[in-house]
Amino acid sequence: MSPFRPSFYTVNLVATPEGLVAWAYPRNGSDSLWRLNTKEKTWQTLPTKGKLFGPQVDNSGVAYDAQRKRLLFFIRNEKAGVTMAAYDFASGEVTMVTATGAEKVKEDTREQANFREAIYLPDDDLVIIGATGLVYDCAKNAWFKKVLASDKPPITKEGSYNIGVMYDPHRKLVWGVNTNSQVFVLKFD
């Protein structure tokens, strides 16, 4: 049995070089981060110093920032635009992140521009949020809005929670599939 509450709405998984990490609500206690021990087939609590907010239904994402060896957590927040935190693997420290350009997130008034999938692009040192066109620049600690070709067909009109996205490191592409099984590809330049 996993130590976190099962919920496809709030359990967030992210692959890291240190293994698969889950960000979720605990069954008991206050832990919110676990790493899968593949040999023992058990989840082990990651030590944390500091408070990490919990995920929200269809409105949170986590990405592994490879250059800084940290996890980045995102929640769309109607008042501030976005709430962010970082988890440092070396120290276990959780810190809140205040990025410039949060108004770009707040200005995106699409009700369905949810923060669900956060994809790290290692060559660009960027995190894109699903198919929203919202991009976080890790080096500059800043948000910007990118107009996507997918803003024209119905891919983002269905809601960013209805699309699955992944990064293909060999081709340096982002693949997306929507509820109608339409496949889209994005090359970030």
Side-chain angles (χ1 to χ4, degrees):
M1 178 185 306
S2 74
F4 48 86
R5 284 188 260 164
S7 171
F8 62 86
Y9 291 114
T10 57
V11 174
N12 289 259
L13 300 175
V14 62
T16 75
E18 292 83 14
L20 185 67
V21 173
W23 172 40
Y25 289 103
R27 288 182 188 268
N28 301 304
S30 60
D31 299 324
S32 61
L33 288 178
W34 297 269
R35 181 176 18 225
L36 181 63
N37 180 322
T38 55
K39 290 181 183 174
E40 296 178 19
K41 297 182 181 161
T42 59
W43 289 97
Q44 298 177 336
T45 302
L46 283 175
T48 55
K49 298 174 193 166
K51 186 161 174 61
L52 176 62
F53 49 81
Q56 293 181 359
V57 174
D58 285 337
N59 222 7
S60 54
V62 58
Y64 177 70
D65 176 350
Q67 288 195 26
R68 291 155 201 86
K69 296 181 176 41
R70 66 180 181 169
L71 294 174
L72 289 169
F73 303 89
F74 306 92
I75 289 182
R76 180 151 181 166
N77 177 323
E78 304 228 351
K79 292 180 183 173
V82 62
T83 302
M84 295 174 58
Y87 172 80
D88 182 273
F89 273 98
S91 68
E93 189 172 347
V94 175
T95 55
M96 297 303 290
V97 176
T98 303
T100 60
E103 68 277 1
K104 301 284 186 219
V105 178
K106 191 174 180 181
E107 289 168 4
D108 192 332
T109 58
R110 292 177 295 165
E111 290 179 24
Q112 297 179 335
N114 294 27
F115 275 40
R116 200 156 102 177
E117 284 84 10
I119 313 300
Y120 181 71
L121 306 177
D123 293 329
D124 301 300
D125 199 22
L126 302 172
V127 175
I128 63 171
I129 304 297
T132 64
L134 297 167
V135 181
Y136 173 69
D137 186 318
C138 298
K140 294 179 181 174
N141 190 30
W143 286 94
F144 64 92
K145 175 82 168 112
K146 179 96 171 144
V147 176
L148 301 177
S150 65
D151 289 337
K152 293 180 178 68
I155 187 170
T156 54
K157 312 277 184 294
E158 296 176 11
S160 52
Y161 53 84
N162 282 341
I163 185 166
V165 290
M166 65 162 287
Y167 179 67
D168 178 346
H170 300 293
R171 295 172 187 84
K172 299 181 187 334
L173 300 172
V174 177
W175 295 94
V177 61
N178 67 12
T179 9
N180 296 322
S181 298
Q182 294 172 300
V183 176
F184 297 85
V185 64
L186 171 68
K187 180 160 181 72
F188 212 88
D189 52 276

